[in-house]
Amino acid sequence: MHFRPDRGFTHLASSEITPRAAYAQRRDLLKVLGTGIAGAALAAWAQRDALAQAAPPGKLAALPAVRSNLPGAIVMDKPTRLADITSYNNFYEFGTGKADPAQNAHTLQTRPWTVAVEGEVKKPKVYDIEELLRLAPQEERIYRLRCVEGWSMVVPWIGYSLSELIRRVEPTGNAKYVEFVTLADSKQMPGVRWRVLDWPYVEGLRIDEAMNPLALLAFGLYGEVLANQNGAPVRMVVPWKYGFKSAKSIVRIRFVDKQPATSWEKAAPSEYGFYSNVNPGVDHPRWSQATERRIGEDGLFARRRQTLMFNGYEAQVGQMYAGMDLKKFY
Amino acid sequence: MGRSAAVAGIGATIQRLLLRPAAKAVLFATCLLPFAWLFYGAWADRLGANPAETLIRNTGDWVLRFLCLTLAVTPLRQLSGWHALARFRRMLGLFSFFYLVLHFLSYAWLDMGFDLDAIVRDIPKRPFALVGFAAFLLMLPLAATSFNRAIKALGAVRWQALHRLVYAIVLLGLLHFFWMRSAKHDFGEVAVYAVVIALLLGWRLGKAWIARRAH
């Protein structure tokens, strides 16, 4: 048996994710299997996870939160390791490679930071990040994250529903869409020097999508504030859509009456639609969307797992798309 | 006078080194290094958060690199006069094929779980995969006729005509890479390969054009 390098985390709420009885039973089963040769291999694999649980936490500031009781906000899947969540990122402002953001994002200055909330609202306001942090109670929510590239993670985010902020600025009747704008400062973000995308990064949601309580304004993960490469100091998390719909390091939230021109849609309209709901039935030209690889959990030789409609959040969000042709509005 | 003699001396030394029996063994071991690294990385869990993706991408990178090296042999040989380089062309070509097989196998295994039905449905659905698969199919007859008796059996002229398929293969490979990266709008590396391949193929076109004009 050989031991793998420990790249794990401490997750304070781990016992809440999987009921103790369930994992105790699983461990007993593993012990039984452990008698065979195949079982020995499985036991080594299981031990790897056990080791990961004992690892020290990260080094960022703690961000206390209460467990969310919103339906659908806590999935039962095992959270992805912090080391994987913070080292495997798509954040082109820091480079197009998956490892680039972790390497380059240290130059991002997250204080002072303001978020301008403007457009079709009665009470536009430039929020200081400290005020945003205290705007509503911080909740821990464990969401699946499905990347359009065919991989997925499970992330214990900390934040609150975007609707909390939306209600406070009082959108007008013309506010049909919400646009999110990411910082684009080439001094802090080396990737912005290359015109891979039309900077700044712009994403958008329909107003009813933005008001859906699952749409999360996130400030942290794993009990700490967000690492820069994960979109510090504030980002969106829209768990039923492909990851790129969730803008990172947001500086502007704008309420508009027309569908915003989003960055990836502008770059390749036939590949990335405005809605980009997770949908195993609509393939990307370069990737099948029917299956996905769960980072850190599905071993090298494990079968990919089936992708779920709306990433498994159909019960919570499906009704918003009733009657829409999702092949057309991909 | 003394200088050109020195240059000639260095050239002769290089030629001698290239002709050493050990040269092939050294090259063989060197060409296996990327494979050894990936194999070790997979075993020791050192391939990052998504090891399957790392394996598929890296083996693909090495196919393009070995194809470029293979295609560089003849221009380099003719420009430098180190004709002993010709000894290594077949091995480099076969290593291109070796990494292409690994590339295809890692896709078929790690991404598709060797589900033949799924693979057959998946490849035609995605033009970029189809192009890569076409390059793979085109490379099969080249690998199959890489030994001396095949050259004899086919006759040098037919064998050479068949092996010109490598030009199509490298272009399909480049298109495959370009399409893959176009999803990310990231053409930096693609441009490097494009320039190298353009030089390697352009040199051959130039030679052919000059030869035709001479007749």
Side-chain angles (χ1 to χ4, degrees):
Chain A
M1 183 174 13
H2 98 275
F3 292 90
R4 284 156 201 285
D6 189 349
R7 306 186 304 183
F9 57 85
T10 294
H11 182 58
L12 298 174
S14 65
S15 63
E16 296 173 335
I17 296 154
T18 310
R20 187 179 294 275
Y23 74 69
Q25 198 179 1
R26 259 183 248 154
R27 284 178 189 181
D28 286 341
L29 178 68
L30 281 176
K31 277 179 204 150
V32 173
L33 286 170
T35 51
I37 293 170
L42 264 176
W45 195 249
Q47 199 137 16
R48 181 178 100 128
D49 294 340
L51 283 172
Q53 296 280 343
K59 296 177 184 70
L60 298 169
L63 182 57
V66 295
R67 218 171 122 80
S68 180
N69 52 23
L70 181 75
I74 309 270
V75 297
M76 290 297 135
D77 310 34
K78 181 170 159 293
T80 306
R81 287 178 294 183
L82 179 61
D84 286 340
I85 293 175
T86 53
S87 67
Y88 189 75
N89 308 102
N90 278 322
F91 196 169
Y92 281 19
E93 283 81 345
F94 296 106
T96 54
K98 292 285 198 315
D100 291 347
Q103 206 161 27
N104 299 330
H106 59 91
T107 50
L108 178 68
Q109 299 291 321
T110 57
R111 294 292 185 285
W113 191 279
T114 57
V115 180
V117 184
E118 57 185 39
E120 294 289 347
V121 288
K122 295 198 189 87
K123 294 180 175 169
K125 180 171 178 175
V126 177
Y127 283 90
D128 188 82
I129 187 68
E130 306 298 344
E131 190 182 350
L132 266 189
L133 275 160
R134 290 189 301 266
L135 192 83
Q138 295 281 352
E139 296 177 8
E140 184 176 55
R141 299 185 183 181
I142 303 174
Y143 283 173
R144 289 181 211 97
L145 172 90
R146 170 62 155 79
C147 179
V148 72
E149 296 167 349
W151 53 267
S152 62
M153 292 186 180
V154 178
V155 185
W157 299 106
I158 297 169
Y160 49 76
S161 295
L162 176 68
S163 59
E164 296 280 356
L165 173 64
I166 296 179
R167 268 194 277 276
R168 282 168 176 79
V169 295
E170 296 178 25
T172 70
N174 289 332
K176 303 279 196 296
Y177 294 90
V178 188
E179 181 184 275
F180 305 90
V181 182
T182 297
L183 180 72
D185 178 0
S186 59
K187 285 202 247 7
Q188 301 178 52
M189 301 170 139
V192 173
R193 283 172 222 149
W194 285 272
R195 304 222 47 93
V196 181
L197 288 170
D198 188 12
W199 311 114
Y201 193 81
V202 171
E203 256 311 331
L205 295 172
R206 224 167 51 189
I207 190 80
D208 59 324
E209 297 177 321
M211 284 298 290
N212 187 293
L214 278 183
L216 181 73
L217 196 61
F219 301 86
L221 60 86
Y222 266 122
E224 298 177 346
V225 297
L226 289 170
N228 288 354
Q229 61 267 34
N230 292 118
V234 56
R235 64 169 293 167
M236 277 303 297
V237 181
V238 191
W240 68 94
K241 291 175 180 281
Y242 294 119
F244 71 90
K245 288 297 293 179
S246 296
K248 302 188 183 83
S249 303
I250 294 170
V251 292
R252 188 182 309 276
I253 298 175
R254 194 178 171 80
F255 293 77
V256 292
D257 62 344
K258 287 196 186 64
Q259 182 174 305
T262 59
S263 291
W264 278 109
E265 202 190 1
K266 275 197 281 183
S270 64
E271 299 184 19
Y272 308 100
F274 175 79
Y275 285 94
S276 288
N277 291 314
V278 175
N279 187 342
V282 176
D283 286 333
H284 181 275
R286 260 165 287 278
W287 305 287
S288 164
Q289 298 298 28
T291 61
E292 65 197 48
R293 185 179 302 283
R294 180 66 52 81
I295 296 300
E297 194 178 340
D298 294 350
L300 191 51
F301 304 116
R303 291 298 297 266
R304 291 162 65 100
R305 59 182 68 204
Q306 298 294 316
T307 290
L308 305 171
M309 187 63 198
F310 295 114
N311 205 19
Y313 297 98
E314 188 161 15
Q316 289 81 27
V317 304
Q319 74 284 356
M320 291 194 292
Y321 309 99
M324 269 176 78
D325 180 357
L326 296 175
K327 282 206 156 60
K328 192 171 160 215
F329 297 100
Y330 53 91
Chain B
M1 170 73 195
R3 197 161 165 207
S4 63
V7 169
I10 292 167
T13 311
I14 289 174
Q15 273 273 73
R16 239 190 345 267
L17 285 174
L18 292 175
L19 282 168
R20 285 240 183 119
K24 270 193 177 174
V26 169
L27 181 70
F28 188 85
T30 311
C31 292
L32 273 177
L33 284 178
F35 171 73
W37 165 247
L38 288 173
F39 191 87
Y40 165 75
W43 175 77
D45 194 16
R46 296 276 298 274
L47 298 180
N50 193 346
E53 181 189 69
T54 306
L55 281 176
I56 295 171
R57 299 255 166 103
N58 269 283
T59 47
D61 285 343
W62 284 107
V63 177
L64 273 178
R65 287 171 197 155
F66 274 102
L67 280 172
C68 288
L69 284 172
T70 312
L71 287 172
V73 167
T74 301
L76 208 63
R77 177 172 70 83
Q78 297 194 354
L79 291 172
S80 68
W82 303 332
H83 295 289
L85 280 172
R87 299 174 68 215
F88 307 113
R89 193 174 64 169
R90 168 161 50 194
M91 194 195 293
L92 290 169
L94 280 171
F95 267 107
S96 313
F97 180 68
F98 172 67
Y99 283 100
L100 182 50
V101 169
L102 286 180
H103 184 54
F104 180 72
L105 278 181
S106 28
Y107 155 78
W109 188 0
L110 307 179
D111 255 9
M112 309 306 288
F114 279 136
D115 180 345
L116 204 64
D117 271 1
I119 294 170
V120 168
R121 269 181 280 119
D122 185 57
I123 290 178
K125 207 158 58 179
R126 305 184 293 159
F128 116 97
L130 195 59
V131 161
F133 189 66
F136 176 58
L137 290 183
L138 287 181
M139 201 132 180
L140 292 174
L142 304 202
T145 57
S146 62
F147 52 99
N148 290 339
R149 290 195 36 195
I151 303 174
K152 238 180 230 162
L154 278 170
V157 175
R158 261 185 296 176
W159 184 89
Q160 200 172 25
L162 175 67
H163 281 247
R164 287 210 175 98
L165 275 178
V166 71
Y167 306 138
I169 290 166
V170 74
L171 289 173
L172 288 172
L174 184 65
L175 183 61
H176 173 70
F177 189 44
F178 168 82
W179 260 340
M180 194 271 276
R181 284 294 170 90
S182 73
K184 299 203 103 183
H185 259 237
D186 179 12
F187 299 116
E189 267 179 84
V190 181
V192 174
Y193 284 107
V195 167
V196 170
I197 291 167
L199 285 173
L200 293 172
L201 298 188
W203 182 84
R204 288 170 165 84
L205 282 175
K207 291 273 286 191
W209 188 69
I210 290 165
R212 187 166 300 174
R213 290 233 322 185
H215 278 293

